[in-house]
Amino acid sequence: EPEVTQTPSHQVTQMGQEVILRCVPISNHLYFYWYRQILGQKVEFLVSFYNNEISEKSEIFDDQFSVERPDGSNFTLKIRSTKLEDSAMYFCASILLAGNTDTQYFGPGTRLTVL
Amino acid sequence: GDSVTQMEGPVTLSEEAFLTINCTYTATGYPSLFWYVQYPGEGLQLLLKATKADDKGSNKGFEATYRKETTSFHLEKGSVQVSDSAVYFCALSRYGGATNKLIFGTGTLLAVQP
């Protein structure tokens, strides 16, 4: 069964450093998402991406964040200058179409630790 | 705005006990409703979903019915197993515009003891 993959599984970085989290969505899916889950808290929407542009972003997704689909398979989340509060699990998700009945499929997540 | 409220955890049950995890939502229109499960150290997996009022989603012995009159989508299982120990998230998506982002509840930790 096709699945969403994410690398790395765990990333440790120093505050102020740039990080890039990578995702490979399911191959025929058209909509892509990033969510994050701070330890012990709810999963929060960050951004959605379609047709090579952001379709929606949350208030969390400020100028420090950017997303890109550099080729036909990868979908990346970049944090320009990490802060301690960026420490979280980051989940990528994809969906074939953004219809009301469709299911988002999640990757296993990347745990980001900012020291 | 749209929101999901779940019962606080943790929920601790003995094996073969009956499980209910309450979930209510606030949304305009007709959202789709989901239960996702997160096993220890893993990502989110879809457990079941319902896309319109009175629909019942079911999977692996779990069930939830979309009740528009009470804006609820409670998760139930008749007989839990130790392997059901996980965090359960209720979520909704409301199709509008170019995205159908998921809005999650806080999650409920279920611990099943042998």
Side-chain angles (χ1 to χ4, degrees), chain A residues 51-79:
Chain A
N51 199 26
N52 280 321
E53 60 184 28
I54 291 173
S55 48
E56 185 176 354
K57 60 183 181 180
S58 72
E59 62 277 6
I60 303 168
F61 194 88
D62 61 21
D63 291 344
Q64 293 296 321
F65 291 89
S66 62
V67 289
E68 192 178 31
R69 189 156 163 82
D71 53 42
S73 59
N74 289 284
F75 178 51
T76 62
L77 174 69
K78 181 193 292 185
I79 309 175

Side-chain angles (χ1 to χ4, degrees), chain A residues 31 33 35 37 40-45 48 50 55-56 89 91 95 97-109, chain B residues 4 30-32 34 36 38 41-46 49 51 89 93-96 98-107:
Chain A
Y31 292 79
Y33 304 82
Y35 294 82
Q37 182 184 27
Q41 297 185 26
K42 67 167 69 176
V43 177
E44 301 172 290
F45 167 77
S48 60
Y50 170 71
S55 48
E56 185 176 354
M89 182 74 91
F91 292 106
I95 194 170
L97 295 169
N100 205 26
T101 61
D102 288 341
T103 299
Q104 288 186 30
Y105 292 89
F106 282 77
Chain B
V4 174
Y30 299 93
S32 288
F34 305 82
Y36 278 83
Q38 185 179 30
E42 298 185 14
L44 296 163
Q45 300 175 26
L46 178 68
K49 69 178 184 181
T51 58
F89 291 93
S93 74
R94 184 170 56 83
Y95 180 58
T99 183
N100 64 341
K101 65 184 180 188
L102 284 166
I103 295 170
F104 286 88
T106 52

Side-chain angles (χ1 to χ4, degrees), chain B residues 21-78:
Chain B
I21 301 178
N22 290 338
C23 171
T24 57
Y25 68 90
T26 301
T28 55
Y30 299 93
S32 288
L33 301 174
F34 305 82
W35 277 99
Y36 278 83
V37 58
Q38 185 179 30
Y39 297 104
E42 298 185 14
L44 296 163
Q45 300 175 26
L46 178 68
L47 180 60
L48 53 84
K49 69 178 184 181
T51 58
K52 60 183 189 294
D54 300 325
D55 265 4
K56 178 187 281 189
S58 61
N59 186 25
K60 298 180 182 178
F62 291 90
E63 293 182 340
T65 300
Y66 187 163
R67 301 279 187 208
K68 189 159 174 60
E69 64 276 14
T70 53
T71 61
S72 65
F73 193 56
H74 304 321
L75 183 67
E76 296 182 337
K77 187 175 185 183

